[in-house]
Amino acid sequence: MLSKVWSGAIIGLDAIPVEVEVDVASQGLPSFTIVGLPDKAVEESRERVRASLKNSGADFPAKRITVNLAPADLPKIGPSYDLPIAVGMLIASGQLQVNITDCIFSGELSLDGKLRNTNGILPLALLARERHIKRFYLPKENAKEAAFISGVEVFPVENLTELFFHLSGQKLITPQPISEVDNFLLDQKFDYDLKDIYGQEQAKRALEIAAAGGHNILFKGPPGAGKTLLARTLPSILPQMTFSEMLEVTKIYSIAGLLNNKGIITSRPFRSPHHTTSHIGLIGGGTFPKPGEISLAHRGVLFLDELPEFSRTVTESLRQPLEDGMVSISRAQGRVTFPAKLMLIAAQNPCQCGYLGDNLHTCTCSTSMILRYQKRVSGPMLDRIDIHLDVPAVKVDKLTSKDTQNNEASKIVRERVQKARDKQIKRFAGTILANNADMSSRDIKLFCPLENDCITLLSQAVEKLKLSARSYHRIIKLSRTIADLDNADKITTQHIAESLQYRQKHNNLL
């Protein structure tokens, strides 16, 4: 007897429908074969399904069993096919009679028949809605994750016995209620706040501009100046994610197995990989490509502390994703694309000892050591960073001051950032752009017209500072963000002048 059960395979960030065909032949020696390009985890499902059926009280047919995962030319990975194979086995062996043409199944089985937490559930829920599949049976631990997708009835299954009674109509499973995003927004908390940072007013201003427009930023200063603290405070002033952005980020974390039963991610990600991180760890990859740190930071922040300490290969691999907002990974099995629209915030010392240009400490580095240290990050990479800012050491009177009235809280700054982002959302309505940093050169001509005095100032700056065409366009985008924070409709010379202050400055070593 033949049965067919719907499931799905995760390719990149999307789910592709997979038809699990189970045939229990009446003739032939007892065997259990899985075909359709299964990996080791899928092949081992034979033993998990066999044990879970027996321990759940069902009969495992001692016949020739063939399981085909169609389409046959698509690689199948992971243990999520355990549940559809088990359900197909029950139907093909005649132990269960039910119509499941409008159902999709996914979940890993334990040997006693219980369902374990399974990665990649959210893309499958989106696939079910796209294909007009009405019911989704999945592990109970993943129910919250799928319940955010409207139009699909989610059934949380605790074990195989419970599912058997439900499908046979003996004892129905209560569907998971639809999850509301607003309930998760109430839990947002930040570990760092701008009001706790003393001094560094210019750095705080730069953070606000970066957050308002989604710009990349580099802090350079001596040890202990507060570069890392400033970076970790950035998430507290970033604008609230839209629902579509939440789904994008949650899909990535669901596939990577980092969701941790959160249901949905409502706070912008903050990823801070160590400088020993490999190229694949940062970009993503593997035999079956998985998202790396830059994709895990999608719609959020990627913080690279001690930027020159990262491998040159690793930092250079960031150049294309920073421009395109995505990363493409090609392997023998095919090519996948992961999103990487992120804010890069980096920190570094001015030299190897860290005290070049410091008034309180003497730099012990030779000229050759300083040049060698500064050349660890290439010019093209630095050219892709919008804001370059020197962060001096904080003076003692700032640290010991009890006057905190001038220290703005992150909540106040976040309100200004949100207003600036709202202007950008209105400006870019009907396009794929989300913020000013996403604009291309063509978009800049369309959305950032300049007056003659602004063009004159920019021309003089390009000639004097030897700016590249990329730097020219990034100055205009940064000026547009500063104008949005000022609630100005047009870019003025004042906005251009401030943005020019954030361009890369070269240290005089002689």
Side-chain angles (χ1 to χ4, degrees):
M1 186 175 176
L2 177 67
S3 66
K4 296 182 179 182
V5 182
W6 284 109
S7 186
I10 306 298
I11 304 297
L13 289 184
D14 299 317
I16 296 177
V18 171
E19 192 174 35
V20 180
E21 300 175 311
V22 182
D23 178 65
V24 179
S26 58
Q27 297 178 345
L29 295 175
S31 63
F32 192 170
T33 306
I34 300 178
V35 297
L37 289 184
D39 74 337
K40 189 64 176 177
V42 179
E43 289 182 349
E44 290 175 348
S45 67
R46 294 178 298 181
E47 305 307 321
R48 291 193 296 271
V49 170
R50 188 194 309 269
S52 61
L53 284 174
K54 288 183 176 180
N55 292 328
S56 299
D59 294 330
F60 187 84
K63 297 181 179 180
R64 183 180 178 86
I65 302 169
T66 304
V67 176
N68 178 42
L69 306 177
D73 61 344
L74 182 71
K76 319 298 187 307
I77 61 174
S80 61
Y81 301 99
D82 290 0
L83 183 60
I85 290 175
V87 172
M89 193 86 68
L90 290 171
I91 296 175
S93 61
Q95 300 178 66
L96 183 64
Q97 295 181 355
V98 61
N99 181 12
I100 56 171
T101 54
D102 62 344
C103 305
I104 189 170
F105 297 81
S106 181
E108 175 187 351
L109 286 172
S110 61
L111 298 184
D112 60 356
K114 291 183 179 179
L115 269 77
R116 301 180 184 272
N117 180 62
T118 305
N119 298 339
I121 290 297
L122 183 59
L124 288 176
L126 293 169
L127 171 67
R129 182 174 68 177
E130 179 186 340
R131 295 299 180 107
H132 305 290
I133 297 175
K134 298 180 180 179
R135 292 174 288 175
F136 187 9
Y137 295 92
L138 73 171
K140 189 175 183 179
E141 293 184 30
N142 299 107
K144 289 182 180 179
E145 178 183 346
F148 286 95
I149 307 304
S150 59
V152 180
E153 200 170 14
V154 176
F155 290 90
V157 182
E158 193 166 351
N159 53 62
L160 200 55
T161 303
E162 184 182 59
L163 179 60
F164 179 86
F165 288 145
H166 172 83
L167 294 176
S168 60
Q170 301 180 45
K171 186 178 180 181
L172 299 180
I173 299 174
T174 303
Q176 179 75 17
I178 297 177
S179 300
E180 298 293 338
V181 177
D182 293 341
N183 297 332
F184 289 79
L185 293 177
L186 299 175
D187 299 332
Q188 281 191 320
K189 294 179 181 179
F190 300 101
D191 296 329
Y192 301 90
D193 196 288
L194 279 179
K195 67 180 180 181
D196 299 323
I197 300 178
Y198 294 87
Q200 306 296 11
E201 283 77 13
Q202 188 179 12
K204 293 178 185 178
R205 169 66 174 174
L207 272 183
E208 181 178 346
I209 296 171
H215 302 285
N216 305 323
I217 184 170
L218 172 64
F219 287 136
K220 183 185 294 186
K227 303 184 296 295
T228 302
L229 180 59
L230 285 163
R232 294 190 179 278
T233 309
L234 179 57
S236 66
I237 63 174
L238 287 175
Q240 178 61 54
M241 285 197 293
T242 63
F243 182 66
S244 61
E245 290 177 334
M246 294 178 191
L247 289 182
E248 290 176 14
V249 176
T250 305
K251 279 175 64 176
I252 298 171
Y253 278 71
S254 174
I255 291 168
L258 300 175
L259 204 51
N260 299 325
N261 298 326
K262 291 182 180 178
I264 194 170
I265 293 178
T266 57
S267 299
R268 295 187 182 273
F270 182 89
R271 304 295 299 183
S272 179
H274 193 259
H275 62 260
T276 57
T277 301
S278 66
H279 174 270
I280 291 180
L282 189 70
I283 299 299
T287 305
F288 299 100
K290 294 287 186 180
E293 289 290 340
I294 62 171
S295 295
L296 294 173
H298 179 61
R299 300 297 182 187
V301 179
L302 177 66
F303 176 44
L304 301 184
D305 201 3
E306 305 298 340
L307 180 63
E309 300 300 331
F310 282 81
S311 166
R312 182 69 173 259
T313 304
V314 171
T315 55
E316 291 302 295
S317 64
L318 286 172
R319 287 161 57 173
Q320 181 261 337
L322 288 178
E323 285 289 316
D324 301 339
M326 64 181 67
V327 56
S328 297
I329 302 173
S330 298
R331 294 292 182 268
Q333 289 81 6
R335 180 183 179 184
V336 297
T337 300
F338 295 118
K341 287 188 178 295
L342 55 90
M343 285 181 59
L344 173 65
I345 180 167
Q348 71 170 76
N349 297 325
C351 64
Q352 195 162 341
C353 75
Y355 295 110
L356 176 66
D358 189 71
N359 296 326
L360 301 178
H361 300 83
T362 303
C363 175
T364 59
C365 300
S366 64
T367 302
S368 60
M369 291 173 61
I370 295 173
L371 289 173
R372 193 182 310 115
Y373 181 82
Q374 293 180 350
K375 286 182 178 180
R376 290 182 183 177
V377 184
S378 69
M381 178 63 193
L382 293 174
D383 204 31
R384 286 166 167 80
I385 298 178
D386 303 333
I387 300 176
H388 296 255
L389 189 68
D390 290 329
V391 182
V394 183
K395 296 182 179 179
V396 177
D397 58 341
K398 292 282 187 179
L399 295 174
T400 57
S401 175
K402 296 182 180 180
D403 182 17
T404 59
Q405 293 182 354
N406 295 327
N407 289 3
E408 280 190 308
S410 292
K411 183 179 180 181
I412 298 174
V413 178
R414 192 183 194 191
E415 290 176 356
R416 294 200 298 265
V417 170
Q418 186 66 60
K419 289 180 180 178
R421 282 290 182 104
D422 291 341
K423 287 178 67 69
Q424 295 166 42
I425 292 173
K426 184 178 179 180
R427 178 185 303 128
F428 301 136
T431 70
I432 61 173
L433 304 177
N435 50 50
N436 290 332
D438 290 343
M439 287 190 292
S440 64
S441 56
R442 180 184 298 178
D443 298 322
I444 290 174
K445 292 181 180 179
L446 179 63
F447 296 109
C448 302
L450 298 177
E451 301 290 343
N452 291 332
D453 53 349
C454 293
I455 296 176
T456 301
L457 178 58
L458 266 176
S459 301
Q460 294 172 351
V462 168
E463 183 178 354
K464 184 175 181 179
L465 301 177
K466 310 298 182 184
L467 299 178
S468 65
R470 181 185 291 112
S471 297
Y472 173 83
H473 289 128
R474 288 186 179 274
I475 289 173
I476 297 177
K477 289 191 285 187
L478 197 61
S479 302
R480 181 64 267 177
T481 300
I482 297 172
D484 289 338
L485 285 170
D486 287 346
N487 198 26
D489 294 329
K490 294 183 179 181
I491 299 174
T492 66
T493 54
Q494 181 180 352
H495 304 138
I496 297 286
E498 183 176 359
S499 64
L500 286 171
Q501 296 178 11
Y502 299 120
R503 290 315 303 167
Q504 182 181 5
K505 299 176 180 64
H506 300 280
N507 291 314
N508 185 10
L509 304 178
L510 300 178

